[in-house]
Amino acid sequence: MKKLTTTVLAVVLTSSFALVNAQKRDTARTQDIEGVVVTALGIKREKKALGYATQSVSAEDITKSPSANFTSNLSGKVSGLSIKSSGNVGGSVDVTLRGYRSITGSNQPLFVVDGTPMLNSSTSVSSTALNVDTGNTISDINPDDIAEINVLKGAAATALYGSRASNGAIIITTKRGKATGRIGIDFSSSISVSNINKETFPTYQKTYGQGYGYKYGPTKKSQFELYNGAPLAPMYEDASYGAAFDPNLLVWQYTSFIPGSKNFGNPSPWIAGKNDPSSLFETGVMYNNSFAISNSNDVSSFRLSYQNTYGNDILPNTNLNKNSLTGNASYKITSNLTANLYATYVTQNTTGKNPTGYHGITGNFRQWWATNVDLQDQQDLYFMSKKNFSWNIKSPTQIAPLYWDNPYFRLYENYITDSRQRFAGNFSLSYDVTNKINILARATHDGFSYFIDERRAVGSLPDTMSIGPAIGSQPSGYAVVNQKRNEDNYDLIGTYKDNFFNNNVNFYGILGSNVNVQNFYSNSQSTQGGLFIPGVYSVTNTLATAPSPTVRDTTKKVYGIFAQANFGILNTYYIDGTVRRDESSSLPAENRAYWYYSASLSAVISNWQFLKDINSLSFAKLRGSYAEVGNDTAPDQILNQYGVTTAFGTSSFFYNTTAKFAGLRPERTKSYEAGATLQFFKNRIGIDFAWYKNDTFDQLLALPVSYTTGVAAKFQNVGNISSRGLELTVNLVPIKTTDFTWGMDVNWSNPRSKVTKLSEGVENISIGSFQGGVTINASLNDDYGTIKGTDFVYDPSGNPIVDGNPASSSYGKYLKTNTNAVIGNMQADWFGSVVNKFSYKNVSLSFQIDWKQGGDIFSLDQYYGQDTGLYPETVFTNDLGNPVRNTLANGGGLILPGVKTNGSGGYSPNDVRLDAASTGAFGYEAYPAKQFVYDATYIKLREVAITYAIPQKFLDATFVKGASVSLVGNNLWIIKKYLPYADPESGLSAGNVQGYQSAVLPTTRTISFNVKLNF
């Protein structure tokens, strides 16, 4: 596979350069990419005048593949932009630009749509408890409305936006009405079919069944109990380390004791289940329909669109239904006064969000399962009775589940629903005072209300709720959260442009002000102790006294003034500078105001006389920038507060466990950037290169303090993260003739963030703590995202040491360090993509390969699943030629590679044969966490698309003005990966905590058929 991968990529790359060299003349003119782009505040600038890096993505690249969250389609399209999807229905997509800059705060870029800053809240999971991935709210945008996306990467590019854009900005311009002399109608419809990629789901061993080995019977040395004189499977266990399968052996299994079961009252053959858990997953079908009308003339323009996305996901009883209505309009009131309006209203409802974490449903399948169980029996038992008849019962006389619910009972009874209603829009008036002076007044709003509830039916296994204030495990229950989040911006911007010295000097200036108001309200309620009346889901239907609602109501205001000046000299040299002052209500009065600045220089060196003589050079620009920007914090971080709880049935008050700090200062970032843009052979070869370095200091975060202070942590200014990297974008047109074009786009980057400073005496901050003793950390002088856990103990030569003491309980197993050993890092070494685009007359074909190199990921699925004997790696022939799970007396067992301690204090090759007849020889019992940290490298065939545009001659006699059909495949082939039975991209959610997997859903292969019509 490695050889094949290398060959495929080598052919793609080398053939491109070969064809570029072989092509002697350009048979058709290519378009100069140095055009006009939308920058901060919606201002259009000539790209050649910019002293910082930006990169544009066309609407075609975003809408080619239907998706419930358009940000997933940005994967591989922009150098330095990392996209990672959680895989849950309506789930989040993690978006980071140029690495990590904040230790515990948000690292997501700002999204701006037609001048409106958009809220993009998401859930960041930092533990292995049950959690709900609520998704990104930016997914509300209808991708069919997008005309273009421009990514502003550095602080110099986004300084005018203030602290909101400290992590970069993604500027989205929507489609407008076109002056065609008629009402334009656009219609698109698609159907997407998804099935799981079985490479990303467990392959089960089919040799051994339920149990933990030789631990049963009267002498506790059998693999079975006895029941009515026949073998009884240990149904109360949730592992597959039991007896070898034998179709001639009749065994009492869980179905023998469930009334209505096909085997009720009888033993059944001891065989592997015909239908393993992969049969649970359904074919996901998603429908996407979009309709738009538009028109434009010299005075006005408008566009109105409607989109519906509806379908089911791969888990039973999961679905999504989203509707969006979006419109924009402009009207020239007078010759120098223009009004603009943008508005969008979105509703989204989902059922069956899969909770992530250890107790997620796929944790059952990946970590704890019995291979003799036929999943079809579980399905039949649930739909027969609608009761929780699990494969994991307590005993023949107690058929309640012990550790795991029936999967179908869980999916159809214990599900989560959520809904979101969102309205966003802006209104602006643009007034040309003269042909040189313009004044823009703009008001923008974005807000949504969000409702999520969780139900746990009577008869379920007790467990913590994913949401709500309930305390401890709940045998049944109901929880609900209501949230409202709003943001309003008010801008007044004046611009001035003029030319001086015979048009040899061009000036562009901005002076403006901004008022930003953010409101957040949340009310979380739940039952306690279970439901009083089964099947009635209300927070008042509670057995015990319900906990007091958890309510949060905050407001933050930021007042900003800003200015920008740009000078263009001889259409060759450009000098740009910005300054902004913000005053934030979330900071103390003495530190409330903060200034930040940016400056950039660029030179179009292809205008230099001696370079004009180079015929192959079409365009060349050098650029450099420096910026210093600020950032505030969330509200309520200055003054301490009291909370209320009902832990003992009556209300009691408690002090906040994280002390607030009245002396907070704004967080600061210093950013440096240098780069070059080169175009050769009439723009047949384009290269853009960037180097950058960011230092973010006075980080705002909570640090642990001594409990003698009365609190667990204190919010303060500490630490510095330094991020740096290189970015490379290459655009090639190897072949361009009248009928045929081959284009290629390459994006590559290697962002790296390092923690260079923490508070005095603090060397580590845990940003995520999980099962297996594994943590994700910001460690002093280490790269951000250090994975810590237990490691092997090594001899001076680097060999792992096996416990050679016969009296030790870990005899024959590896010695382990404590959980503070560094065992990996979540950051990749680099990532990139190659997109090939072919077009021949009316047919176009494209395919995209994404490559992520390096980084690490810990798998809790393997940590537990290998110990419980689920995987084929636990079934093999040992060095003696016998099944490894035989008893030692029957030639079983294995010798772990390494050395063992000897009595003289030295080391000798390990020769201790470890008993593998029962659990303990694989997985977490024998190995440290380091064993289950895998290289997160992957190479994927991300997308293949073929489109046919119906020739106009076939449409002339109809009212259809344009039509095309396309077939698109997504995630068709994981060409290379090292993580077994899972996708290295899958995670718990969006946010800073990556590099850890537990109970993730399998990745899906998706095929979409699309039709687009224009009238």
Side-chain angles (χ1 to χ4, degrees):
M1 181 62 72
K2 182 177 180 181
K3 183 177 180 181
L4 173 61
T5 302
T6 306
T7 303
V8 168
L9 295 177
V11 167
V12 169
L13 291 172
T14 56
S15 61
S16 302
F17 288 108
L19 281 169
V20 168
N21 293 328
Q23 194 90 11
K24 297 301 182 183
R25 55 181 298 180
D26 191 0
T27 57
R29 184 174 180 179
T30 56
Q31 183 179 1
D32 190 339
I33 68 165
E34 285 294 316
V36 175
V37 295
V38 179
T39 62
L41 302 178
I43 299 167
K44 293 182 178 181
R45 299 277 304 277
E46 286 187 286
K47 196 171 182 181
K48 69 179 182 180
L50 303 180
Y52 45 78
T54 72
Q55 191 169 346
S56 297
V57 183
S58 69
E60 179 187 1
D61 290 332
I62 299 300
T63 59
K64 187 183 300 179
S65 177
S67 174
N69 190 336
F70 81 95
T71 55
S72 62
N73 292 344
L74 287 171
S75 177
K77 305 296 193 304
V78 178
S79 61
L81 186 66
S82 174
I83 304 292
K84 185 177 180 183
S85 175
S86 67
N88 291 318
V89 58
S92 59
V93 176
D94 187 59
V95 183
T96 55
L97 186 58
R98 290 188 168 179
Y100 298 89
R101 304 180 202 183
S102 179
I103 293 177
T104 59
S106 173
N107 283 287
Q108 306 285 308
L110 172 69
F111 286 82
V112 181
V113 179
D114 286 349
T116 301
M118 303 292 286
L119 297 167
N120 187 29
S121 62
S122 60
T123 302
S124 181
V125 174
S126 57
S127 72
T128 11
L130 277 176
N131 293 276
V132 182
D133 179 7
T134 57
N136 300 77
T137 54
I138 198 64
S139 66
D140 292 338
I141 296 174
N142 176 7
D144 285 328
D145 289 335
I146 296 174
E148 186 182 39
I149 292 178
N150 192 38
V151 180
L152 307 180
K153 300 181 180 181
T158 62
L160 285 179
Y161 276 119
S163 58
R164 290 289 312 281
S166 59
N167 299 312
I170 297 178
I171 311 299
I172 299 172
T173 304
T174 63
K175 296 175 181 177
R176 304 287 178 175
K178 296 180 180 180
T180 59
R182 57 179 174 81
I183 297 290
I185 300 176
D186 299 321
F187 173 75
S188 66
S189 181
S190 67
I191 179 172
S192 302
V193 179
S194 301
N195 287 287
I196 69 167
N197 178 350
K198 291 195 174 182
E199 287 183 83
T200 62
F201 193 73
T203 297
Y204 297 93
Q205 57 84 12
K206 299 294 181 71
T207 307
Y208 299 91
Q210 196 165 8
Y212 275 78
Y214 291 83
K215 299 183 178 182
Y216 311 101
T219 62
K220 302 301 179 185
K221 293 183 179 181
S222 172
Q223 293 175 306
F224 292 111
E225 303 281 6
L226 284 178
Y227 182 82
N228 289 343
L232 172 70
M235 303 164 294
Y236 45 85
E237 307 287 25
D238 53 355
S240 294
Y241 219 101
F245 288 127
D246 181 353
N248 298 314
L249 180 65
L250 297 179
V251 176
W252 294 94
Q253 302 181 53
Y254 84 96
T255 52
S256 305
F257 307 102
I258 305 296
S261 167
K262 63 183 181 182
N263 298 319
F264 181 61
N266 298 293
S268 56
W270 187 239
I271 57 175
K274 180 180 179 181
N275 299 284
D276 69 30
S278 66
S279 64
L280 174 108
F281 297 99
E282 301 176 341
T283 296
V285 181
M286 195 69 66
Y287 302 91
N288 192 309
N289 295 286
S290 182
F291 176 83
I293 59 174
S294 63
N295 198 4
S296 176
N297 55 39
D298 293 338
V299 176
S300 63
S301 71
F302 80 93
R303 186 177 186 273
L304 182 66
S305 71
Y306 168 75
Q307 182 203 34
N308 171 257
T309 301
Y310 175 80
N312 65 283
D313 198 40
I314 55 175
L315 285 174
N317 197 35
T318 60
N319 59 72
L320 177 147
N321 187 10
K322 180 166 69 174
N323 295 275
S324 67
L325 183 66
T326 304
N328 60 54
S330 68
Y331 183 75
K332 186 173 286 188
I333 301 172
T334 66
S335 61
N336 58 350
L337 179 63
T338 302
N340 290 281
L341 174 68
Y342 165 80
T344 183
Y345 177 71
V346 184
T347 65
Q348 177 175 296
N349 299 278
T350 66
T351 298
K353 280 186 181 291
N354 176 49
T356 63
Y358 173 65
H359 282 174
I361 192 167
T362 49
N364 184 180
F365 301 149
R366 292 181 178 275
Q367 301 169 17
W368 310 92
W369 182 250
T371 54
N372 52 292
V373 174
D374 190 322
L375 201 72
Q376 184 64 49
D377 292 337
Q378 286 286 277
Q379 183 179 20
D380 293 343
L381 288 172
Y382 168 71
F383 284 108
M384 172 194 73
S385 64
K386 299 298 177 71
K387 294 182 179 179
N388 192 10
F389 289 140
S390 172
W391 57 274
N392 183 216
I393 64 177
K394 294 179 179 179
S395 72
T397 57
Q398 292 181 291
I399 58 174
L402 182 59
Y403 297 123
W404 297 97
D405 291 320
N406 180 310
Y408 290 91
F409 179 88
R410 182 168 183 171
L411 289 167
Y412 284 94
E413 304 292 338
N414 296 348
Y415 56 86
I416 292 170
T417 63
D418 70 344
S419 63
R420 183 169 65 240
Q421 293 81 41
R422 182 178 196 158
F423 175 77
N426 67 58
F427 176 76
S428 66
L429 288 172
S430 176
Y431 180 64
D432 292 324
V433 181
T434 69
N435 61 350
K436 298 179 181 180
I437 301 175
N438 175 269
I439 296 176
L440 174 71
R442 178 170 57 201
T444 72
H445 169 83
D446 184 22
F448 63 84
S449 60
Y450 181 69
F451 171 87
I452 182 170
D453 71 342
E454 178 183 16
R455 57 183 68 194
R456 178 161 294 137
V458 172
S460 303
L461 278 168
D463 201 353
T464 57
M465 303 290 284
S466 303
I467 60 173
I471 300 170
S473 292
Q474 305 297 309
S476 60
Y478 181 70
V480 60
V481 177
N482 281 285
Q483 288 185 352
K484 292 182 179 180
R485 191 184 294 268
N486 297 284
E487 177 174 333
D488 296 293
N489 283 274
Y490 307 94
D491 300 310
L492 183 63
I493 304 171
T495 59
Y496 175 78
K497 58 183 178 180
D498 204 350
N499 301 320
F500 306 98
F501 305 110
N502 295 322
N503 294 327
N504 288 322
V505 176
N506 313 111
F507 173 77
Y508 186 87
I510 297 173
L511 182 64
S513 64
N514 168 258
V515 177
N516 174 265
V517 182
Q518 301 175 34
N519 296 291
F520 176 75
Y521 173 82
S522 177
N523 187 322
S524 176
Q525 302 181 48
S526 70
T527 59
Q528 180 68 42
L531 296 173
F532 184 75
I533 302 174
V536 176
Y537 294 100
S538 168
V539 293
T540 60
N541 182 31
T542 179
L543 271 174
T545 302
S548 297
T550 301
V551 178
R552 188 181 179 206
D553 192 354
T554 64
T555 297
K556 183 173 79 169
K557 297 180 179 180
V558 180
Y559 304 91
I561 56 173
F562 51 85
Q564 180 183 34
N566 173 263
F567 292 92
I569 303 170
L570 300 173
N571 287 322
T572 298
Y573 306 98
Y574 298 90
I575 304 171
D576 201 9
T578 69
V579 60
R580 178 163 176 143
R581 178 189 184 272
D582 276 350
E583 186 173 321
S584 173
S585 65
S586 66
L587 294 172
E590 62 272 20
N591 296 325
R592 188 161 290 170
Y594 47 100
W595 293 80
Y596 35 99
Y597 323 86
S598 75
S600 65
L601 299 171
S602 63
V604 182
I605 62 174
S606 53
N607 287 343
W608 294 355
Q609 189 59 48
F610 75 95
L611 292 177
K612 287 184 177 180
D613 297 331
I614 303 177
N615 293 330
S616 60
L617 181 63
S618 305
F619 179 85
K621 182 181 77 171
L622 300 178
R623 63 178 186 269
S625 67
Y626 170 79
E628 185 170 334
V629 299
N631 195 8
D632 60 357
T633 185
D636 294 342
Q637 300 299 335
I638 302 174
L639 301 177
N640 291 304
Q641 301 166 321
Y642 284 94
V644 63
T645 183
T646 50
F648 302 102
T650 58
S651 296
S652 59
F653 293 86
F654 62 92
Y655 203 51
N656 46 248
T657 56
T658 298
K660 312 300 174 70
F661 180 42
L664 289 178
R665 301 183 304 276
E667 184 178 286
R668 311 288 295 186
T669 297
K670 293 181 178 180
S671 177
Y672 307 83
E673 181 183 324
T677 302
L678 303 172
Q679 296 285 319
F680 298 96
F681 303 109
K682 298 181 180 180
N683 302 329
R684 300 289 293 277
I685 303 176
I687 300 172
D688 190 276
F689 171 82
W691 167 88
Y692 64 88
K693 180 178 183 294
N694 301 309
D695 282 293
T696 305
F697 56 97
D698 279 348
Q699 297 256 342
L700 294 158
L701 52 91
L703 280 184
V705 295
S706 171
Y707 281 103
T708 58
T709 63
V711 293
K714 181 179 180 180
F715 201 80
Q716 52 192 298
N717 290 98
V718 291
N720 180 81
I721 281 188
S722 178
S723 59
R724 64 182 66 198
L726 302 173
E727 293 171 353
L728 179 65
T729 300
V730 180
N731 307 108
L732 304 174
V733 184
I735 299 176
K736 187 173 181 67
T737 67
T738 303
D739 294 328
F740 181 74
T741 301
W742 175 16
M744 176 183 283
D745 299 325
V746 179
N747 291 298
W748 180 93
S749 56
N750 65 341
R752 201 73 178 177
S753 300
K754 184 177 182 179
V755 181
T756 58
K757 185 180 179 181
L758 292 175
S759 181
E760 184 176 352
V762 177
E763 295 189 353
N764 186 76
I765 297 173
S766 175
I767 57 176
S769 182
F770 301 95
Q771 275 186 290
V774 173
T775 55
I776 311 296
N777 304 270
S779 302
L780 184 62
N781 296 323
D782 278 340
D783 288 334
Y784 182 76
T786 298
I787 304 173
K788 293 187 176 183
T790 56
D791 196 356
F792 297 94
V793 177
Y794 301 94
D795 72 0
S797 299
N799 300 303
I801 301 174
V802 174
D803 189 345
N805 180 7
S808 172
S809 60
S810 60
Y811 179 55
K813 301 177 183 179
Y814 288 113
L815 296 178
K816 305 175 185 178
T817 67
N818 61 27
T819 57
N820 203 39
V822 175
I823 57 177
N825 189 277
M826 70 183 193
Q827 293 189 65
D829 297 330
W830 56 264
F831 56 89
S833 70
V834 179
V835 182
N836 281 274
K837 301 176 181 179
F838 306 90
S839 64
Y840 178 72
K841 294 185 178 181
N842 295 318
V843 179
S844 60
L845 169 69
S846 66
F847 67 90
Q848 176 177 329
I849 294 175
D850 286 358
W851 188 333
K852 176 187 173 185
Q853 181 64 41
D856 299 299
I857 190 165
F858 172 82
S859 173
L860 189 70
D861 300 330
Q862 295 300 308
Y863 180 84
Y864 285 132
Q866 290 190 24
D867 183 75
T868 59
L870 296 185
Y871 296 104
E873 289 82 354
T874 65
V875 179
F876 57 88
T877 300
N878 65 10
D879 58 311
L880 300 177
N882 301 312
V884 68
R885 293 198 193 182
N886 280 6
T887 62
L888 291 179
N890 289 321
L894 73 160
I895 300 173
L896 298 179
V899 298
K900 68 174 184 179
T901 55
N902 56 39
S904 61
Y907 304 96
S908 58
N910 178 42
D911 60 359
V912 178
R913 185 166 296 278
L914 182 62
D915 187 1
S918 299
T919 56
F922 304 100
Y924 73 96
E925 291 191 75
Y927 292 86
K930 171 70 174 180
Q931 177 72 14
F932 309 102
V933 174
Y934 298 89
D935 185 343
T937 294
Y938 65 78
I939 304 174
K940 290 186 175 183
L941 180 59
R942 177 76 67 186
E943 180 182 277
V944 177
I946 184 168
T947 300
Y948 176 67
I950 298 175
Q952 191 61 43
K953 63 182 180 180
F954 296 130
L955 304 176
D956 287 341
T958 72
F959 58 89
V960 180
K961 303 301 181 182
S964 66
V965 294
S966 59
L967 190 65
V968 183
N970 286 93
N971 295 317
L972 297 179
W973 180 22
I974 301 179
I975 303 170
K976 179 180 181 180
K977 71 181 181 76
Y978 297 105
L979 177 67
Y981 312 116
D983 185 341
E985 274 195 291
S986 298
L988 297 175
S989 70
N992 299 344
V993 180
Q994 304 295 326
Y996 187 96
Q997 271 197 354
S998 175
V1000 295
L1001 286 171
T1003 298
T1004 56
R1005 293 188 176 103
T1006 303
I1007 303 294
S1008 303
F1009 178 72
N1010 313 319
V1011 176
K1012 293 185 178 182
L1013 302 173
N1014 309 109
F1015 304 98

